[in-house]
Amino acid sequence: MTILDLKKHLIQRISEINDSNFLEAIKTILDTKSAVISLTVEQRAEIKQSQEQINQGIFITQDQLDEEFEKWADEN
């Protein structure tokens, strides 16, 4: 199925839907796909700093964090 065929198929299927909640969900998906995220200078700097820390091995894995949390929770 080509992209054009898929678009036509989706348009046809959407036109048959009468459930407003379902249509709102589709709208949310479409809005999310087309949303442009604008970052501030500070946010870009924080992301760059985080990437540098990861490259230097300065991070903790989710498993390590979970273990630390479990230890902390057991102590309290």
Side-chain angles (χ1 to χ4, degrees):
M1 181 178 288
T2 67
I3 290 177
L4 183 58
D5 291 336
L6 183 56
K7 286 180 181 182
K8 287 178 182 178
H9 176 76
L10 291 172
I11 290 168
Q12 176 61 37
R13 293 291 307 270
I14 290 170
S15 70
E16 296 169 357
I17 297 170
N18 293 317
D19 181 339
S20 63
N21 290 329
F22 193 78
L23 291 170
E24 284 294 331
I26 293 171
K27 181 181 179 304
T28 299
I29 292 169
L30 295 173
D31 289 347
T32 302
K33 179 66 179 165
S34 63
V36 176
I37 299 173
S38 297
L39 301 175
T40 65
V41 172
E42 293 83 8
Q43 290 170 321
R44 290 179 190 270
E46 286 186 32
I47 291 171
K48 184 176 180 180
Q49 181 183 14
S50 296
Q51 290 171 330
E52 290 171 0
Q53 289 173 338
I54 291 169
N55 290 337
Q56 295 171 9
I58 305 170
F59 64 90
I60 186 169
T61 66
Q62 184 65 47
D63 290 339
Q64 292 169 323
L65 184 61
D66 290 343
E67 287 176 20
E68 285 189 24
F69 178 78
E70 287 178 29
K71 288 178 189 175
W72 174 82
D74 289 342
E75 292 173 0
N76 294 312

